[in-house]
């Protein structure tokens, strides 16, 4: 497989997985971004990327990482959300159960205000 084909495969995978990675480890997220710098992809980089993804499979999200991902995803909805949805989002950001409650709200918003890009991504425990 050519490096260009590998790059395309990586880009498709990263578009799907970046919020999932961010929800587990900011360090891993940054490491992958560094790998992808300059859009030069190799088999070695692909193996490293796959190893990072595999290593995160057993890493649960934290309140902090869930908050970071939620704020990123919220950016897609904030202009069209109702006042009640905005209040609920802000309330959940401070909720002790953010890890279990926030995904549900964001999935409801995605259903109500669909965004094709978000529909192809895995966010939390998908």
């Amino acid at each position: 497989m050519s490096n260009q084909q590998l790059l395309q495969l990586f880009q498709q995978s990263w578009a799907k997985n970046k919020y999932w990675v961010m929800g587990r480890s900011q360090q891993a997220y940054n490491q992958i971004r560094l790998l992808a710098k300059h859009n030069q992809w190799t088999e070695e980089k692909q193996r490293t990327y796959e190893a990072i993804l595999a290593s995160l499979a057993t890493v649960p999200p934290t309140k902090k990482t869930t908050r970071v991902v939620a704020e990123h995803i919220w950016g897609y909805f904030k202009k069209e959300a109702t006042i009640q949805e905005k209040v609920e989002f802000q309330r959940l950001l401070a909720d002790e159960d953010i890890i279990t409650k926030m995904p549900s709200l964001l999935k409801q918003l995605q259903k109500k205000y669909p965004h094709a890009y978000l529909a192809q991504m895995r966010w939390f425990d998908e």
Side-chain angles (χ1 to χ4, degrees):
M1 189 176 293
S2 74
N3 285 356
Q4 187 60 35
Q5 290 170 314
L6 284 171
L7 177 61
Q8 288 174 341
L9 285 175
F10 161 72
Q11 289 171 333
Q12 290 169 352
S13 175
W14 186 233
K16 178 182 179 180
N17 290 300
K18 73 178 185 178
Y19 288 152
W20 182 84
V21 170
M22 186 186 292
R24 277 144 183 77
S25 169
Q26 186 65 45
Q27 283 180 295
Y29 180 85
N30 292 338
Q31 186 180 0
I32 293 168
R33 287 188 63 219
L34 280 176
L35 279 175
K37 197 173 183 179
H38 306 299
N39 281 332
Q40 296 173 345
W41 205 248
T42 63
E43 288 184 23
E44 181 180 340
K45 286 184 176 186
Q46 182 66 28
R47 284 191 296 275
T48 301
Y49 169 69
E50 289 170 1
I52 293 169
L53 287 183
S55 74
L56 294 175
T58 59
V59 176
T62 65
K63 291 176 188 174
K64 182 178 179 179
T65 60
T66 300
R67 192 172 294 113
V68 169
V69 171
E71 288 173 335
H72 276 81
I73 294 170
W74 175 251
Y76 290 89
F77 305 121
K78 67 182 180 183
K79 290 183 181 175
E80 52 202 349
T82 66
I83 291 172
Q84 294 94 333
E85 290 163 344
K86 291 175 182 180
V87 168
E88 180 66 2
F89 176 77
Q90 291 301 320
R91 187 187 72 72
L92 288 180
L93 282 179
D95 195 298
E96 279 300 307
D97 280 336
I98 186 174
I99 295 170
T100 58
K101 293 180 180 177
M102 185 60 80
S104 177
L105 173 65
L106 294 174
K107 287 176 186 176
Q108 288 173 8
L109 293 172
Q110 170 62 12
K111 200 172 202 176
K112 185 174 179 181
Y113 312 111
H115 290 270
Y117 181 66
L118 290 178
Q120 297 174 359
M121 299 182 94
R122 65 183 194 166
W123 305 345
F124 298 102
D125 284 329
E126 295 132 8

